[in-house]
Amino acid sequence: SGVPIIPLVVGANERALSLASKLRESGFFVPAIRPPTVPSGTARLRISLTAAHQWEQIEHLLAAISGDFSAGE
């Protein structure tokens, strides 16, 4: 995206917390951002990337996120 912080809007607070927890268990620190920091109904994951991340790490993160979304959690 060209920026180091990528918001992934997931909607409900519970969904954001659940995804953040599952990602943490997989070794990724992707915090959930919820109201009042963001508007109600727009809870999101805060993905932060740096030049130190390897493509393999990013691909694993994408696979972990895709797996959660395809499961319909």
Side-chain angles (χ1 to χ4, degrees), residues 62-73:
L62 292 174
I65 291 171
S66 296
D68 280 321
F69 277 94
S70 66
E73 166 86 12

Side-chain angles (χ1 to χ4, degrees), residues 9-64:
V9 178
V10 297
N13 294 350
E14 297 79 16
R15 174 94 169 120
L17 290 170
S18 174
L19 287 168
S21 178
K22 288 179 181 181
L23 290 169
R24 190 176 318 108
E25 291 170 6
S26 296
F28 298 104
F29 178 65
V30 180
I33 309 298
R34 300 166 287 141
T37 306
V38 296
S40 182
T42 66
R44 60 201 68 196
L45 299 177
R46 183 181 190 266
I47 302 168
S48 299
L49 299 176
T50 71
H53 287 104
Q54 302 294 315
W55 279 112
E56 182 178 276
Q57 293 170 309
I58 296 169
E59 289 171 348
H60 285 140
L61 173 62
L62 292 174

